[in-house]
Amino acid sequence: MVANDDVILSDEEIDVEMFDSDTELSKSAATTSRKSRVSYADDTDSDFQSSTSKRAPVPSKRGRGRGRGRGAATASTRKSVDENGEELPKARRGRPPKPKPMDEDGNPIEKPKATRGRKKAVAVKELSDNEDDFDDGEFGKPAKQKRAAKGKARQLTFDEIEIPAKEPTFDPALVRELAERNPDTYWRELATATETTSDSNAELTGRIDFIDEDHPLELLPHSITDQMALTGMALSPDGTLLATFGSSGHVHIWDTDTFECLTTLRDRSEANIDEFFVGQFTPNSEYLIVGGKLKDRKRWSEADEDNHIMPCPLKIFNVLTGDVVSRLDGHSEEILCVKSVVYKGENYYVTTSQDGYIRRWHMDSDWVVLLDSKEVTDGVTCMAFTVSFLPNTGNRYFMAATDDHVTLMDLEMCLIVQRFDPIYSSYCDCGKFIELVEEPLYQARKPVIAEDEEGTGEASSSRAAITSLPEPTGPFAYFVTRGVELLDAEDNTVSSRPNTCTLHRLVYPTESDGSFELQEIRRYYHDDYLSNSWLIRLASNGRYILAPTLNGQVFAFSIATGQVTSVLRDHDTIEVRDCKFHPTKNLLFTCSDDGTIKAYRSTVKPKSPETSVEADIEMECSTTVAASEHERAQTSDFDSPQTAAESHFNGLKEGVESLAVRDLDSVVSDPPAPVVTIAVVEENVKQES
C-alpha cells in the first residue's frame, strides 16, 4: 500500500541524469539500481553519445512493449504531480540546462546563431598611415603591421630588380681554350680530297667522294635482312662492324667486309616487347648501347593501336657475350637518339626521347657504370629527336632537333642557351653539323608554294633568286636539317609545302653572352622528293646530302649547287630510315622499313676514246685561248669585235694543232676528229662575228 506522501514516478523520471563528471555518473548509477537499462540511441542530448562507443550494444527499438522503443511501456500512463496535485513538467534527460545570460533589465540576451561556410566579411577600421601610431613592440606591445593596399601590386622597375651574378652561357675565350684542350674531330664527315685509284677506270678504294653520272653508285650483292622493319644503323669506330636495329627486338652485328652476321643480341630476360630504334658502339667497340621502345605484352592501347608503351630504358650489351650488363632508366617514352661524348675527360651519353626530355648520363670510365643522370631544364619541348655537337667547342654545346625548330643547349649546365625560330611547319626531326668541301650558292628566299594574288586558288611556285653568300660576322659552322610539313591541303591528306632539306650556317658570338645567329643558306627539294614521314635521318660526306624518302628512294643533292645528282630506287615503296657513309671504305649503307640493308659502292664510268679526245682538245683549246687573250690585252687596249673573234679563232686553232703535234698517236689514229673539231670551231666563230 502506498502512502499519500509517496510520489509515483514514471519510467522517464527514474532515468538517471547524466553529468560531466565520470565520478558522479558512477555514484548515481550505483544508487539507482532500479534503472535496469539505458538507451543511448535516442539520447540526442547526451555528450557521451558516440558512433564508436564501447558500451553495450543499443537494444532494438521494438523492446518489450508496443514498439515505443523504451522497454517500460506499461508505466507510460503514470504522471508526476507536486504537493498540490499539479502535474510536474517531464524530467529532461542528460545534463541540466545552463542558465541563460541576462542583461541589466533581466531580459535574456540572444546569442547570434552560428553560420556555416565562409565567414561574413566584417568591416575593419582602416589603420593609420602615420608611423607614430604604430608601436615598435620593444616593450612588449606587439607592433602593428600596415594593411596591404587592395588591387594589383606595383611592379618593380629594371633598376630595382637585383639580378644575381651568373656565369656567362657562352664565353668565346673560354670556349677557345676548352677546344684546344679537348679537340672534337669525330663530328667531321669530310670526303677524301682525291680518288684513291691507280687508273681512271679502276675501282675507287677510298671513301666515297663523288656521286654523279661519272661516278654512279653500284648495288652490291649481299643478304643483310631482318624479320621486321629496320629503323637504324651504327658503325663501329674502326668501321669493321655494322649494327642494325629494328622492331623485332634483335640487334644484328655484321662484318662490313664479308657482310656476314657475326652475332645477334637480344635481352632474353625481358618479359615485355623490345623494339630498338638507335644505338652506338663505345670507343673500344666492347659494348653497344641501344634504345627504343618497350611495350607491355599484356596491355593494349586503343589510342596507339598497339601494345601499351612502358617507360623505355637504355640497355648496354656486351658485344662478345651478348649479355645486358647495364640498364639505364629515365625516359617514359621512345628513345629516338643516343650519342656518346667525352667532355673534360669524363664519359657521357646524351639521349633524346618522344617524351620531350633530353637527358645526360654521366658514366664511369668503362662506359657501363652510371654515376649520375640529369635532365636538361626545358619544360617546353614536346618531342626531342637528334643531337649534334658544335664544332670547336670542346663538346660543351650541342644542337638538338626539337619539335619544329632547333635548340642550342649546354651539356655542362644542362640548360638551354638559345632557341631558334621554327624551320618546318610540323617537325624538325634531324639535324647535324657537317664540314663542306665546296662553298654553296646562297639562296635568298625559301622555295614555297603560294596562292596567286587574284585569289583563284591555283598554286604557283615561287623560286628564289640566287645571290652571293653574306659574309659571317664571326666563327661559324654548317648545319643541315630536314623536317615534316603539315598536311593542310586536299582534305588534310597532303601538304601544300614541298619537302625540303635545309643548309644553315651557325655564326658564333664574338662577345661574352652574345647571341648565336642561324642563317639559312639554301633549301634542297625536288618534285619527286617525298619525305613527309618522321624519324628519317640524313647523311652527308661534305659534298652531297643523302635524303631518304617515304616511298623507298634516296636522293643525292649537291650541296654546292642544289641539283639532284643521283636517285637510289632499290628499296620497296616504304620509308627509308637511315643512311651511313663508311668512314674509310668505298661503301654506303641504307636501311628501310622493308627489313633490308642495301650496300653501295662508287664506281668510275668508263670513257670512250672519242670522249677522251674531245675532253683533251677542249682543255688545250681553253688554255691556248686564255694565253692568246692575255697577250692581246698586253699589246692593245681596244679591239674591234672582228679582231677579237679572229684572235679567239686563232687561239682555238693553235690549241688543236699543238695538241695534235704533242699527242700524235691519239689524233692520227682518228684523223677526222681534229678536222671536224676545227671546222666546228670556225663555224662558231663566224656566227659570233
Side-chain angles (χ1 to χ4, degrees):
M1 187 163 181
V2 181
N4 293 334
D5 295 339
D6 294 337
V7 178
I8 301 176
L9 300 177
S10 63
D11 290 346
E12 290 81 359
E13 293 173 340
I14 65 175
D15 287 340
V16 63
E17 291 184 355
M18 305 175 69
F19 302 98
D20 292 336
S21 174
D22 293 338
T23 305
E24 295 181 0
L25 178 62
S26 60
K27 292 180 179 180
S28 175
T31 55
T32 56
S33 58
R34 289 176 296 173
K35 182 176 71 86
S36 59
R37 58 184 59 86
V38 179
S39 174
Y40 293 93
D42 296 335
D43 193 1
T44 57
D45 296 333
S46 174
D47 289 347
F48 297 96
Q49 180 180 354
S50 174
S51 60
T52 59
S53 176
K54 295 182 180 180
R55 297 183 176 89
V58 179
S60 174
K61 287 188 176 182
R62 294 181 180 180
R64 294 179 300 172
R66 303 175 184 175
R68 294 190 55 189
R70 302 195 57 83
T74 55
S76 60
T77 56
R78 303 175 184 174
K79 296 182 180 181
S80 302
V81 293
D82 56 6
E83 297 178 351
N84 300 326
E86 297 180 1
E87 184 178 355
L88 294 174
K90 186 178 295 185
R92 180 181 182 275
R93 297 185 297 111
R95 74 174 56 172
K98 296 181 179 179
K100 295 183 178 181
M102 300 292 182
D103 56 9
E104 298 179 353
D105 299 333
N107 299 322
I109 299 176
E110 296 292 337
K111 296 178 62 178
K113 296 182 179 180
T115 58
R116 300 179 63 182
R118 296 183 59 185
K119 295 183 179 180
K120 187 182 295 185
V122 180
V124 181
K125 183 179 179 180
E126 295 184 358
L127 300 178
S128 174
D129 294 334
N130 187 4
E131 296 181 357
D132 297 336
D133 295 342
F134 297 94
D135 192 305
D136 57 2
E138 182 178 359
F139 300 102
K141 184 178 180 181
K144 297 181 180 180
Q145 298 180 356
K146 291 185 179 180
R147 184 179 299 276
K150 295 183 178 180
K152 188 176 180 180
R154 185 180 70 86
Q155 295 183 353
L156 298 178
T157 62
F158 285 104
D159 296 335
E160 297 174 340
I161 298 176
E162 296 182 1
I163 302 177
K166 66 180 183 67
E167 181 183 355
T169 55
F170 188 87
D171 189 339
L174 295 178
V175 171
R176 194 179 307 112
E177 181 183 356
L178 182 63
E180 292 176 357
R181 295 198 311 265
N182 305 280
D184 49 357
T185 58
Y186 74 92
W187 62 270
R188 299 176 182 270
E189 296 193 20
L190 180 62
T192 54
T194 58
E195 300 174 1
T196 309
T197 58
S198 58
D199 185 82
S200 59
N201 294 332
E203 294 183 357
L204 299 175
T205 57
R207 181 175 176 173
I208 294 179
D209 189 4
F210 292 96
I211 305 174
D212 50 25
E213 293 182 357
D214 296 332
H215 303 81
L217 293 177
E218 178 187 0
L219 179 64
L220 298 179
H222 67 80
S223 179
I224 301 181
T225 60
D226 200 346
Q227 300 174 354
M228 302 179 71
L230 291 174
T231 54
M233 300 179 292
L235 283 165
S236 60
D238 58 0
T240 59
L241 303 177
L242 174 69
T244 59
F245 316 104
S247 56
S248 64
H250 296 81
V251 178
H252 299 288
I253 298 181
W254 310 82
D255 189 328
T256 57
D257 289 330
T258 62
F259 303 111
E260 296 180 358
C261 183
L262 301 178
T263 184
T264 299
L265 308 179
R266 179 179 178 83
D267 186 3
R268 305 187 182 279
S269 63
E270 181 60 64
N272 295 292
I273 304 173
D274 264 328
E275 290 187 11
F276 297 132
F277 293 167
V278 292
Q280 189 166 9
F281 285 91
T282 55
N284 58 1
S285 301
E286 183 180 359
Y287 301 102
L288 178 68
I289 180 170
V290 298
K293 182 192 299 186
L294 184 64
K295 300 186 296 186
D296 193 335
R297 189 178 297 275
K298 301 180 180 179
R299 185 178 176 187
W300 183 259
S301 173
E302 295 292 343
D304 298 332
E305 296 182 355
D306 197 356
N307 291 73
H308 179 74
I309 298 176
M310 303 177 65
C312 303
L314 286 167
K315 297 183 178 181
I316 302 178
F317 287 90
N318 186 308
V319 176
L320 296 179
T321 64
D323 298 330
V324 177
V325 297
S326 182
R327 177 184 173 122
L328 309 180
D329 295 304
H331 286 294
S332 60
E333 296 187 37
E334 296 97 317
I335 297 174
L336 305 181
C337 178
V338 55
K339 292 287 185 180
S340 61
V341 64
V342 178
Y343 175 65
K344 291 185 177 180
E346 299 292 329
N347 300 334
Y348 295 93
Y349 292 125
V350 180
T351 56
T352 65
S353 173
Q354 194 172 343
D355 59 13
Y357 291 102
I358 299 176
R359 183 173 286 273
R360 182 195 71 184
W361 313 82
H362 187 192
M363 308 301 294
D364 203 356
S365 59
D366 58 357
W367 292 93
V368 174
V369 179
L370 176 65
L371 301 180
D372 64 74
S373 175
K374 186 176 182 181
E375 291 178 350
V376 177
T377 304
D378 189 345
V380 177
T381 300
C382 295
M383 296 182 68
F385 296 99
T386 63
V387 296
S388 183
F389 284 84
L390 269 67
N392 304 320
T393 60
N395 293 336
R396 175 168 179 177
Y397 302 94
F398 63 89
M399 190 81 84
T402 55
D403 296 337
D404 57 356
H405 55 274
V406 292
T407 307
L408 182 62
M409 300 186 177
D410 188 336
L411 176 69
E412 180 177 346
M413 306 299 295
C414 284
L415 295 174
I416 293 178
V417 178
Q418 190 171 340
R419 198 187 304 272
F420 299 94
D421 294 334
I423 305 173
Y424 306 98
S425 60
S426 183
Y427 290 122
C428 175
D429 61 352
C430 182
K432 63 190 313 180
F433 286 98
I434 60 176
E435 186 179 18
L436 299 187
V437 178
E438 302 175 274
E439 287 295 326
L441 297 176
Y442 176 69
Q443 192 176 33
R445 293 194 303 266
K446 300 178 182 179
V448 296
I449 297 179
E451 293 185 357
D452 58 345
E453 297 180 357
E454 298 179 358
T456 60
E458 297 180 357
S460 61
S461 63
S462 176
R463 292 187 176 271
I466 305 300
T467 62
S468 60
L469 192 67
E471 292 295 330
T473 58
F476 63 90
Y478 287 104
F479 186 71
V480 62
T481 62
R482 62 137 272 146
V484 178
E485 305 292 353
L486 287 175
L487 303 179
D488 55 357
E490 299 182 10
D491 297 331
N492 298 330
T493 58
V494 297
S495 175
S496 62
R497 304 172 181 84
N499 294 126
T500 61
C501 302
T502 310
L503 178 66
H504 312 266
R505 186 168 64 181
L506 182 68
V507 181
Y508 298 7
T510 57
E511 298 179 356
S512 180
D513 253 355
S515 298
F516 287 80
E517 183 180 2
L518 187 65
Q519 302 172 347
E520 181 176 310
I521 305 301
R522 70 173 302 118
R523 294 210 174 194
Y524 305 88
Y525 66 102
H526 189 270
D527 293 339
D528 296 331
Y529 174 60
L530 305 175
S531 64
N532 221 41
S533 178
W534 75 299
L535 205 59
I536 292 178
R537 303 174 186 88
L538 301 174
S540 175
N541 65 345
R543 195 184 299 275
Y544 302 95
I545 295 176
L546 292 185
T549 66
L550 56 80
N551 55 359
Q553 301 179 356
V554 179
F555 279 72
F557 292 102
S558 171
I559 295 179
T561 64
Q563 300 297 320
V564 176
T565 60
S566 179
V567 180
L568 306 178
R569 299 183 174 91
D570 298 298
H571 286 286
D572 294 341
T573 56
I574 197 170
E575 283 88 347
V576 179
R577 295 295 182 182
D578 200 359
C579 303
K580 291 289 183 184
F581 281 101
H582 196 280
T584 57
K585 299 178 183 178
N586 179 17
L587 288 174
L588 169 68
F589 299 98
T590 62
C591 72
S592 170
D593 282 354
D594 61 7
T596 63
I597 297 287
K598 304 297 182 182
Y600 301 88
R601 67 176 179 179
S602 179
T603 60
V604 180
K605 185 177 180 180
K607 295 182 180 180
S608 62
E610 294 80 3
T611 306
S612 302
V613 171
E614 292 178 0
D616 294 339
I617 291 176
E618 183 179 356
M619 181 178 298
E620 185 66 27
C621 290
S622 61
T623 304
T624 308
V625 168
S628 177
E629 291 180 352
H630 177 71
E631 182 180 357
R632 179 173 52 84
Q634 297 293 333
T635 57
S636 176
D637 294 336
F638 176 78
D639 283 330
S640 62
Q642 181 66 24
T643 305
E646 291 177 354
S647 177
H648 186 74
F649 167 73
N650 293 332
L652 291 176
K653 188 174 181 180
E654 292 175 2
V656 173
E657 292 176 350
S658 63
L659 178 64
V661 173
R662 191 182 61 208
D663 195 4
L664 185 62
D665 295 337
S666 61
V667 178
V668 173
S669 61
D670 193 4
V675 177
V676 173
T677 305
I678 294 175
V680 172
V681 171
E682 291 177 353
E683 184 67 23
N684 293 336
V685 171
K686 290 180 181 179
Q687 292 179 0
E688 292 179 0
S689 61

